[in-house]
Amino acid sequence: MSPQAERLTLPVRGMHCAACVGKVERALTSVPGVDEATVNLATEKATVTFDSTRTDVTRLQDAVARAGYELVEPREAAGQTPDREQSAREETQRRARSKFVVGAILSVPIVIGSMVEVFPWAPAWLHNPWLLWALATPVQFWVGFEFHAGFLRDLRHRTASMSTLVSIGTNAAYFFSLAVTLWPHVFMPAGGMTYYETGAVVITLVVLGRWLEARARGRTSEAIRRLVRLAPRTARIVREGRELDVPTTEVGVGDLVRIRPGERIPVDGVVLEGASTIDESMLTGESLPVEKTAESRVVAGSVNQTGALLFRATHVGSETTLARIVRLVEDAQASRAPIQRLADRVAAVFVPIVLVIAGATCLAWLAFGPEPRLPMALTTAVAVLVIACPCAMGLATPTAIMVGTGKGAEHGVLIKSATALEVLHRVDTIVFDKTGTLTVGRPEVTDIVTVPGVGEDDALAVAAGAEQASEHPLGEAIVRLAKERGLALPPVGEFTAVPGQGIDTMAPDGRILLGNETMMNERGIDVSLLADRAIALQAQGKTVVFLAFAGRLLALIAVADVLKPDAAATIRRLREMGLAVAMLSGDNRRTAEAIAREAGIERVLAEVLPADKAGEIKRLQEGGHRVAMVGDGINDAPALTQADVGIVMGSGTDVAIEAADVTLMRSDVAGVVVALELSRRTIQIVKQNLGWAFGYNILLIPVAAGVLYPLAGVLLSPILAGAAMAFSSVSVVTNSLRLKRWRPA
């Protein structure tokens, strides 16, 4: 991508089917300077990457306009907040509903008056062809206006779309019927009859399908709207000792923000005063509230529950975690999965092929069909045109991707693109980084073994007193546990760190030594009483330090970076899903293997430097595996990039959200299972949709053409064809919406 590359996502107006998508994409990519263009029918948006020195938005708009569609101005698109966008969608739905109601009211008497054999009780005046014509005309040209306008646009640009099929089919039925009405003496002897009901009912059913489809498609983006609504419209800031309520958009970095119980956090920040618990479930999927005190990080959209807080704003506007999550989900929903390419290739040639089939059907019936040939040829050709709408093909993938990525965001799993979502379901090997991914990422005291006559808390208090001045991670773990237990720490002085051995401090009652066996031996401390236990703990990958006071051994303390509580269960679940699991670590082999055994992992790649981790991933890929790498997003960046899918653990840090294929907003590894299950379920829905879309056309186009007539006397009327076409699009979207009920196992 060039340094001048610009990327825009803008609404496209006028699209109705997969053929429309292909035309808009071809129009955009034909503009010099455009590197890539992706159009999504479900979101009705185009994402364009272009060289700003060679082209601009005006040229892109001109190209799209020449194709017969409208690319919305960036300024206008910027004003399309989710609420305004929802209002626009609702207005479109209202128009479609109004047209359907008018079409239905007018079509019912047309059907009753036209089908004498079905409705013999209908009054004679209702059979009058001039009355039928008067009722059918507003349906044909007002209710169906968008189809005819679309056909004329296609004709002008020498292309074809769904509008082409509907307009040609219904106009053929309408104008043939008008000819029969005007010149009955010419057409009646040849078996001519009116087909006003065909055009009217087909248009009404197609409009009904579009209305239902628009309603269903509107529900696919609910996740985005819910996320956006998490951000409050106002914030209470403290300036010059006064509290002011201002719009959230006016909060700046560094402003002091006051939050009371029950209020939503308006921007990201760091707590300065107060203590509280905050519900972050809509961002992380974590149901339990999170405790916040001074120096804790708070994020926009979360709900303050118990106490009042004063915090300093660190990220505002589009830079908040919430805004980045919304942007990420929008980008994922607008992206295209590789599985969609087949549907795109078919859609590009589908409509012209259907026109040829319809023409051939008409000619075949005129040449070989039974009498009355002309009406039979007309009805079969119209049925072929109407039933072959490619809407379902265009909606099969993007609707499922929209719902799937939105559902992931609800459960704290942010999926960067449709490609990542699809590739993830094909992964057969999961590689975990150890530190900070499978483990908590900091040393914890795991064992305190004392000599007879010494209490565990007494030994811990002495050790923590000695370590108060130490910055070593092992010392921090000992002090942290003592504070958690509320122990009183003895005062110490003359702190001395002995490199490679431990620490030497002086307490009022005697000298405290805390270190390894070498230190104890050099200071004449006999550790034989606890030596066997020390060896056993070291075999488990734990670091052991001995504690001596006043020349006497008191205890040994084992410290380790412990496994996360849910790690073993997650590994077991992954293996049940048929995945191979491995662990990468820079630690020594004994420590790494101890953690792996506890987690249930058999394959261990230990003593691997960060720069060499990518090579290990590449070797797995060269062995034919599709690999997902799970790491912390910073130290593991090369390996995450090399993997087929990079999954970042953490709490949604800036680097993780922007760089990862999949970001888990929580720090527990159970999110890996959620991501995999969601990917598998989403792709399953996509395959069902594509199977329905392709199968529907492959099976029903020949039926509409009349292949069953010689065998069983079966013909598919244009009215039934219109109903089937409407049902196909709605069924695909409805099937995608089943994902909204998905829950992690």
Side-chain angles (χ1 to χ4, degrees):
M1 188 180 293
S2 67
Q4 292 78 29
E6 186 173 346
R7 188 170 183 263
L8 289 176
T9 298
L10 300 173
V12 180
R13 294 174 180 161
M15 297 191 302
H16 296 292
C17 66
C20 301
V21 170
K23 287 193 293 182
V24 175
E25 285 187 346
R26 287 192 294 273
L28 289 169
T29 54
S30 68
V31 178
V34 172
D35 298 321
E36 184 181 9
T38 302
V39 179
N40 190 306
L41 179 61
T43 60
E44 297 176 292
K45 291 181 180 179
T47 301
V48 191
T49 304
F50 60 95
D51 186 340
S52 58
T53 63
R54 299 178 60 195
T55 190
D56 54 27
V57 175
T58 301
R59 293 177 184 174
L60 299 178
Q61 289 179 302
D62 291 343
V64 172
R66 285 194 298 272
Y69 303 89
E70 180 186 358
L71 189 68
V72 175
E73 281 274 2
R75 289 187 297 276
E76 184 180 347
Q80 286 286 308
T81 63
D83 286 341
R84 289 184 59 188
E85 189 173 329
Q86 177 68 3
S87 298
R89 286 182 180 272
E90 289 174 353
E91 177 59 30
T92 300
Q93 292 174 30
R94 280 193 293 271
R95 285 199 303 269
R97 181 180 59 195
S98 298
K99 288 196 170 188
F100 164 68
V101 170
V102 171
I105 291 172
L106 295 176
S107 296
V108 167
I110 296 173
V111 171
I112 294 174
S114 300
M115 298 183 173
V116 180
E117 65 283 0
V118 179
F119 306 103
W121 45 264
W125 57 268
L126 199 55
H127 303 321
N128 189 313
W130 291 99
L131 175 62
L132 298 177
W133 169 77
L135 293 171
T137 298
V139 179
Q140 182 69 21
F141 297 108
W142 182 75
V143 178
F145 174 79
E146 60 183 305
F147 305 117
H148 310 310
F151 169 54
L152 292 176
R153 187 170 58 238
D154 292 340
L155 198 61
R156 187 166 61 252
H157 296 100
R158 298 179 183 178
T159 59
S161 68
M162 168 196 167
S163 294
T164 302
L165 302 179
V166 175
S167 181
I168 290 177
T170 58
N171 276 324
Y174 175 84
F175 285 109
F176 177 80
S177 301
L178 179 59
V180 173
T181 302
L182 292 173
W183 302 288
H185 58 284
V186 175
F187 290 94
M188 289 298 185
M193 55 184 295
T194 62
Y195 289 92
Y196 289 120
E197 80 284 359
T198 296
V201 174
V202 164
I203 285 178
T204 301
L205 287 172
V206 176
V207 170
L208 170 63
R210 284 199 175 176
W211 172 39
L212 296 175
E213 178 189 307
R215 287 183 60 190
R217 282 161 63 181
R219 292 172 57 200
T220 61
S221 57
E222 280 181 6
I224 288 285
R225 291 195 295 275
R226 283 207 303 269
L227 284 170
V228 170
R229 289 172 186 151
L230 291 178
R233 297 184 183 276
T234 61
R236 185 176 295 106
I237 63 173
V238 180
R239 287 180 182 167
E240 299 177 354
R242 297 170 52 224
E243 293 188 4
L244 306 171
D245 286 337
V246 301
T248 301
T249 53
E250 295 182 11
V251 178
V253 174
D255 279 344
L256 301 183
V257 183
R258 179 84 67 187
I259 294 294
R260 297 189 176 117
E263 294 180 337
R264 284 195 182 274
I265 309 294
V267 296
D268 292 1
V270 175
V271 176
L272 300 178
E273 298 177 7
S276 182
T277 57
I278 291 184
D279 178 5
E280 298 180 344
S281 59
M282 282 303 294
L283 298 174
T284 66
E286 175 59 70
S287 58
L288 296 177
V290 182
E291 292 187 2
K292 301 291 182 180
T293 56
E295 302 301 320
S296 295
R297 177 174 174 244
V298 294
V299 292
S302 55
V303 181
N304 185 35
Q305 293 192 325
T306 54
L309 295 173
L310 179 70
F311 70 88
R312 176 180 289 109
T314 57
H315 295 84
V316 300
S318 62
E319 297 306 312
T320 65
T321 299
L322 176 62
R324 292 200 305 275
I325 290 173
V326 170
R327 193 161 59 243
L328 183 77
V329 177
E330 285 179 333
D331 289 346
Q333 292 184 343
S335 63
R336 170 171 301 169
I339 197 172
Q340 192 177 344
R341 292 172 186 159
L342 176 61
D344 293 340
R345 287 196 296 269
V346 172
V349 297
F350 184 76
V351 174
I353 290 175
V354 169
L355 290 173
V356 170
I357 293 173
T361 298
C362 184
L363 293 176
W365 277 90
L366 286 174
F368 307 109
E371 294 295 345
R373 291 182 179 180
L374 183 58
M376 298 281 274
L378 176 66
T379 55
T380 52
V382 170
V384 169
L385 290 171
V386 171
I387 205 166
C389 168
C391 289
M393 278 188 283
L395 294 169
T397 301
T399 52
I401 296 297
M402 285 181 69
V403 180
T405 51
K407 201 67 185 175
E410 289 181 17
H411 291 280
V413 177
L414 302 182
I415 300 169
K416 189 174 184 178
S417 66
T419 299
L421 186 65
E422 180 179 341
V423 173
L424 189 57
H425 98 283
R426 297 200 303 266
V427 163
D428 57 33
T429 303
I430 307 286
V431 178
F432 286 91
D433 174 57
K434 182 183 79 70
T435 305
T437 302
L438 286 174
T439 65
V440 296
R442 67 179 186 183
E444 300 281 352
V445 175
T446 60
D447 302 88
I448 301 175
V449 183
T450 63
V451 297
V454 177
E456 183 177 299
D457 283 354
D458 293 335
L460 179 61
V462 172
E467 290 283 10
Q468 287 181 85
S470 172
E471 296 180 354
H472 194 282
L474 300 184
E476 291 177 356
I478 293 170
V479 173
R480 185 166 55 247
L481 179 60
K483 288 182 176 180
E484 289 174 359
R485 295 187 180 184
L487 303 180
L489 308 186
V492 297
E494 298 182 18
F495 177 91
T496 303
V498 182
Q501 294 187 5
I503 60 171
D504 180 344
T505 64
M506 179 63 73
D509 298 332
R511 184 173 298 279
I512 302 173
L513 300 175
L514 190 67
N516 57 25
E517 189 173 354
T518 301
M519 169 181 263
M520 298 297 127
N521 291 336
E522 289 184 1
R523 304 300 175 95
I525 306 297
D526 182 10
V527 298
S528 59
L529 193 61
L530 300 178
D532 290 343
R533 190 65 187 275
I535 293 171
L537 290 171
Q538 288 170 338
Q540 297 173 19
K542 298 176 181 180
T543 300
V544 174
V545 291
F546 292 94
L547 172 66
F549 177 66
R552 172 172 168 257
L553 180 68
L554 292 186
L556 67 78
I557 300 175
V559 180
D561 184 8
V562 298
L563 201 65
K564 289 180 178 178
D566 60 343
T570 298
I571 301 303
R572 185 167 58 252
R573 178 74 182 106
L574 291 172
R575 296 179 68 170
E576 289 171 355
M577 295 170 68
L579 296 163
V581 182
M583 188 183 81
L584 268 177
S585 177
D587 285 346
N588 64 72
R589 179 161 294 278
R590 185 175 62 184
T591 300
E593 288 181 346
I595 288 291
R597 278 195 304 272
E598 190 177 352
I601 298 175
E602 295 179 356
R603 182 165 187 173
V604 181
L605 304 170
E607 301 175 7
V608 181
L609 297 175
D612 297 332
K613 290 183 178 180
E616 296 291 346
I617 299 296
K618 188 174 182 179
R619 273 189 282 277
L620 287 170
Q621 292 170 325
E622 289 171 348
H625 297 286
R626 293 190 179 94
V627 182
M629 170 69 187
V630 187
D632 62 15
I634 300 173
N635 297 330
D636 302 314
L640 290 164
T641 303
Q642 177 64 46
D644 295 278
V645 180
I647 303 176
V648 169
M649 303 291 302
S651 57
T653 60
D654 295 354
V655 173
I657 289 179
E658 300 299 333
D661 294 317
V662 178
T663 299
L664 307 181
M665 296 297 289
R666 294 187 297 186
S667 60
D668 60 83
V669 290
V672 177
V673 175
V674 174
L676 284 162
E677 288 181 340
L678 179 61
S679 172
R680 290 183 176 187
R681 181 60 178 150
T682 302
I683 299 304
Q684 181 185 40
I685 292 288
V686 168
K687 290 179 178 178
Q688 291 172 356
N689 287 347
L690 288 173
W692 169 258
F694 285 121
Y696 162 84
N697 285 293
I698 291 171
L699 291 175
L700 291 188
I701 287 179
V703 173
V707 296
L708 295 181
Y709 186 80
L711 301 174
V714 175
L715 278 179
L716 187 65
S717 77
I719 293 175
L720 291 178
M725 184 269 285
F727 173 74
S728 70
S729 297
V730 175
S731 65
V732 163
V733 180
T734 303
N735 191 45
S736 296
L737 287 172
R738 291 196 300 126
L739 271 170
K740 294 175 73 67
R741 299 196 299 270
W742 178 84
R743 293 289 183 275

